[in-house]
Amino acid sequence: MPDDWGFFERLTESKEQMRILVNCAWKKETPPSGLNRLLSITINLYSVRSRQKKKAAMIAELEKLEQRLEEAVLAGGEAFYAGRINTPKRLEYYYYIAEDAGLEPLENMIRGHQDYRLQYYAKPDPQWEFYRFMLPDALEELFIHNAQMVYALLNRGDDIRQPRNVYHWLLFRDSDDRKLMRMKLEGMGYRIEEGKSGEPEPDYPYPLVISRFEDVRLETVNGRVDELYRVLGGGGGKYDGWGSVMKQPALYRLRQWAKKRLGIQRLSGRTKG
């Protein structure tokens, strides 16, 4: 089964922030037979921060370490990489392995990297209960989509810090719910977009489009979606996504124009030849 990775943030009951990266491939499927043990590997992040002061260097070091850990786990037998949980103090990797999987390669790898203060444990989890804990709920699914949208904008040169009109699409079961929510959202500072229409669904035939003038950094978008999701929860509505125009810096647009222009000139030169 192909991987299906999702990234989102979650607060625990004790208000600890967790950044979760989880492979959702088995979200709706029965876990594969045989892989009935949960293997957890924990890195103390203080040990890495003490050596790498720059964030980029720290991320690069952790990526290399993650690769070595995966190679060591797979050397012991078949394994499924379920995901990782990142907190301010530690980074935890989770795998599902077989009962007879060998842990000697992992132990050797840990002994060779004592500076990272690596720890591990393996315990039975035949029902994949911890994996179900890691999976996103309905709101966290929206956070995953937000991350994908923001990263796509960044990859296209968007300056996500620049404010712009950010549109949100909402759907309602009946017109009265939409009317009441419209008044409530106006009172909360949202602008009603009369000239834009959403795409109704059979169970939610009444769309409403609203907007706010703000940036599209991930924390901004997640905060806005979280607010709308909770407001709609008691008002017969459904959140249906967001969108905005791109804000590319002038220098980025100039570089893209230059690349395109240079490409045309090269093509023209080859054609003449």
Side-chain angles (χ1 to χ4, degrees):
M1 180 175 292
D3 290 342
D4 179 17
W5 292 98
F7 171 78
F8 60 97
E9 297 184 355
R10 176 188 293 171
L11 283 177
T12 66
E13 292 182 358
S14 60
K15 302 303 180 182
E16 181 182 42
Q17 185 183 49
M18 298 190 300
R19 294 183 174 183
I20 300 176
L21 178 71
V22 59
N23 188 344
C24 300
W26 294 95
K27 178 172 59 176
K28 297 181 180 179
E29 305 293 335
T30 302
S33 60
L35 303 181
N36 53 12
R37 276 204 301 168
L38 174 67
L39 171 64
S40 169
I41 308 169
T42 302
I43 300 174
N44 185 312
L45 291 179
Y46 289 131
S47 63
V48 184
R49 292 195 184 104
S50 64
R51 293 191 305 276
Q52 300 291 356
K53 302 302 181 182
K54 294 184 178 180
K55 184 177 180 180
M58 178 178 171
I59 291 174
E61 182 175 343
L62 288 172
E63 286 176 346
K64 290 179 182 179
L65 182 62
E66 181 176 353
Q67 181 63 36
R68 295 190 191 110
L69 286 172
E70 186 165 1
E71 291 171 355
V73 172
L74 290 174
E78 184 182 1
F80 169 74
Y81 181 25
R84 66 174 186 252
I85 296 178
N86 188 185
T87 72
K89 298 179 181 179
R90 63 191 183 279
L91 183 57
E92 303 168 353
Y93 299 96
Y94 294 95
Y95 294 85
Y96 278 89
I97 60 176
E99 276 292 338
D100 58 353
L103 295 177
E104 291 85 356
L106 175 62
E107 292 171 349
N108 291 334
M109 186 269 177
I110 290 176
R111 279 195 293 270
H113 295 78
Q114 295 184 11
D115 290 346
Y116 292 102
R117 297 165 64 182
L118 290 161
Q119 295 181 331
Y120 83 91
Y121 70 82
K123 68 175 184 178
D125 187 9
Q127 302 302 317
W128 284 34
E129 293 181 7
F130 191 82
Y131 177 68
R132 302 300 169 193
F133 162 77
M134 290 180 70
L135 288 175
D137 60 22
L139 177 57
E140 290 166 344
E141 290 274 10
L142 294 176
F143 292 162
I144 289 175
H145 179 69
N146 292 346
Q148 293 169 343
M149 291 271 288
V150 172
Y151 294 151
L153 289 172
L154 285 169
N155 287 334
R156 294 177 63 185
D158 193 303
D159 182 359
I160 61 173
R161 298 166 299 177
Q162 282 198 40
R164 81 286 304 268
N165 284 327
V166 183
Y167 303 96
H168 299 270
W169 283 265
L170 317 177
L171 297 173
F172 296 88
R173 292 187 184 277
D174 60 59
S175 59
D176 287 340
D177 287 340
R178 179 175 62 180
K179 183 178 180 180
L180 290 172
M181 188 59 64
R182 171 179 173 143
M183 292 189 300
K184 183 172 184 176
L185 292 170
E186 282 184 305
M188 294 172 63
Y190 289 92
R191 175 179 175 180
I192 307 299
E193 295 291 339
E194 303 287 2
K196 296 184 179 293
S197 60
E199 297 182 5
E201 297 178 1
D203 292 336
Y204 292 87
Y206 298 96
L208 176 66
V209 184
I210 62 176
S211 69
R212 291 291 288 256
F213 188 77
E214 57 192 0
D215 63 65
V216 290
R217 293 176 301 155
L218 185 57
E219 55 266 35
T220 303
V221 175
N222 278 349
R224 190 64 60 200
V225 170
D226 179 73
E227 177 180 73
L228 291 171
Y229 182 86
R230 298 183 189 282
V231 169
L232 290 169
K238 173 184 175 182
Y239 186 79
D240 198 40
W242 63 275
S244 72
V245 298
M246 291 189 64
K247 290 286 186 179
Q248 294 174 325
L251 181 59
Y252 179 88
R253 295 197 300 271
L254 179 61
R255 287 173 177 171
Q256 292 301 106
W257 176 86
K259 288 180 180 179
K260 183 177 179 181
R261 183 67 179 174
L262 182 59
I264 293 173
Q265 290 175 349
R266 287 177 176 173
L267 179 61
S268 175
R270 286 195 297 270
T271 302
K272 290 180 180 179

